[in-house]
Structure formats: structure tokens, C-alpha cells
Amino acid sequence: MLKEPRSIPKYLFSPNKMFKTILNKLYNLFLDIFSPKYCLLCLNWNQNYFCQDCLKKINFEPQINCLICDKRLNFDSTCQQHFQPIKKLISFGIYEENLIKEKIILAKNSGYREVFYDLGKEIGERIKSFNWEGFQLAFTPLTRKKYFLRGFNQAEALAQGIQAVLKLSIFTGIVKIKETKDQAELNFEERKTNLKDAFKLTKKPGEKILLIDDIKTTGTTLMEVAQILKKEGAKEIIALTILR
Ligand SMILES: [Zn+2]
Ligand SMILES: [Zn+2]
């Protein structure tokens, strides 16, 4: 159960990391099939990992802001100073203030893909009244190594949850080719070189992109990916994260 990070029982421990990862995946799959879900916030049994009562309590509603200066916007307005490469950011609260924060970190570290998929569906429901005509979904990728070790990409799982509601296609052409450090731990100069040549595209994106990540920390990763999407032909990019 998620109150404690899921990991394989100790007697199955193997020093071989790859073997351990595979066992962990199978174990999680087994639990997903046989254990019913409960709300991560109130711990009551529920169909999804977040119940409607709790989401109401924490005011889980879309907030639209400028990615750079955090100016409040609506879906049709733009910050006149900062509209490139990302037109606006949709998020559902501020990281430091939010109760969901700890659950997201726990789910990410314990390999709970479904937590992000469920949140994606909730997010989809809350943004479906906006005009998404012509948009493609995209998500910030992990390197292949990191993907394999974690077993899933939380941004991709979010995108798949959103897709289940909005019925938009997912653009899968962004790849991460260089392992990077956590942007939040670096200074301004290091941040720039850290992400340099870290991403590339393997196919051409659509003109309108909703770019998804789990949490916006410094925003530089979203900006870097958006720059590349722009260079390859995307004209309008809106970013979406659970928290900012
Ligand atoms: Zn609840
Ligand atoms: Zn701004």
C-alpha cells in the first residue's frame, strides 16, 4: 500500500539492479490488479487515488499563469512580456503550499504509475472546457536509462490520463539523450549548460502543443523542450504541470 513505498519483499532482494527492477514491476502489477484503491489524502477506499471530496477541499482547479513572472492570465490572454516559447502555464496549485506534493514525490519514487494516470484524468476533466481544437499532447521525456530504472515516466502517465478525457493524440517524438542534474540544485550558469543538447526530436510536431510535466521547478526544462518544438515547427505551446 502506498502509505509505505512499495518495494519487493526482502527475501527477493537481488544485488542485480536490473533483476530487481523487473521484479519490482511485476510485484506492482500484481498489487495493481489485486488491491483496491484508496484516496491518498483521506485514506478512504475510492475508485481513484484522489477522491472528489479531497480535491474540492484542496481546491484542485486550473490556474493559468505566465511561466516566467507568474502573472495571472485566463485561457485567452497572454503575458505581453513573456509569451515565447511558452504562451502560458496551467497548474493546479503552488508546490510549497500543496498537500498533493508529498504524494506526488512518494508515488514517483515508489513506481506508482497509476497515481499519475488518475491525476491526469482529473486534470482532463477540469480543463476540458477550454478550446483544445488542433492541439497535440506532449510530455517531457526521461532518458532511456532513467525510464528503465523507474519503470515509467510520470509526465507520460499524466499525459495518458489527460488523453483519456480530451481524446487528443500524444506526440511521442521528444527524446532525452543526455542525463542531466536536478535544475533546482544548480546556479544560473550551470542550468544553461546542464540542459544543453539534452533533448532532440525524432519527428515533426503539430502546430499546437500542450506540453506536460509533473512539477514546474525552475521552468527551464519546459522552456528547453519548447524551444526545440518551436524550432521544428510548433507555433503555439501551452505548458501544464500539476504544481508550480
Ligand atoms: Zn479523499
Ligand atoms: Zn510574464
Side-chain angles (χ1 to χ4, degrees), residues 3 32 94-95 110 131 133-134 146 155 162 179-180 228 237:
K3 289 156 220 173
D32 283 341
I94 292 169
Y95 185 72
S110 341
N131 181 12
E133 208 190 316
K146 197 137 184 200
I162 294 172
E179 204 58 73
T180 51
I228 297 167
I237 298 167

Side-chain angles (χ1 to χ4, degrees), residues 12 55 109 115 125 173 197 209:
L12 281 178
L55 290 176
N109 295 336
V115 169
E125 288 297 336
D197 303 324
I209 301 280

Side-chain angles (χ1 to χ4, degrees), residues 39-44 46 49-55:
C39 170
L40 294 181
L41 297 167
C42 65
L43 306 181
N44 288 321
N46 192 50
Y49 280 116
F50 299 93
C51 78
Q52 293 305 322
D53 286 347
C54 286
L55 290 176

Side-chain angles (χ1 to χ4, degrees), residues 16-75:
N16 182 324
K17 217 171 186 180
M18 193 182 284
F19 183 59
K20 200 181 156 197
T21 309
I22 293 167
L23 277 180
N24 231 325
K25 279 190 193 174
L26 289 174
Y27 186 62
N28 271 305
L29 187 68
F30 171 81
L31 289 183
D32 283 341
I33 294 168
F34 294 105
S35 68
K37 289 182 189 174
Y38 59 91
C39 170
L40 294 181
L41 297 167
C42 65
L43 306 181
N44 288 321
W45 298 116
N46 192 50
Q47 266 180 316
N48 294 314
Y49 280 116
F50 299 93
C51 78
Q52 293 305 322
D53 286 347
C54 286
L55 290 176
K56 204 175 263 171
K57 259 184 241 161
I58 61 168
N59 195 20
F60 196 74
E61 292 299 328
Q63 302 169 12
I64 306 178
N65 300 77
C66 169
L67 182 88
I68 310 288
C69 69
D70 208 44
K71 179 182 169 164
R72 261 181 86 165
L73 304 167
N74 59 46
F75 195 75

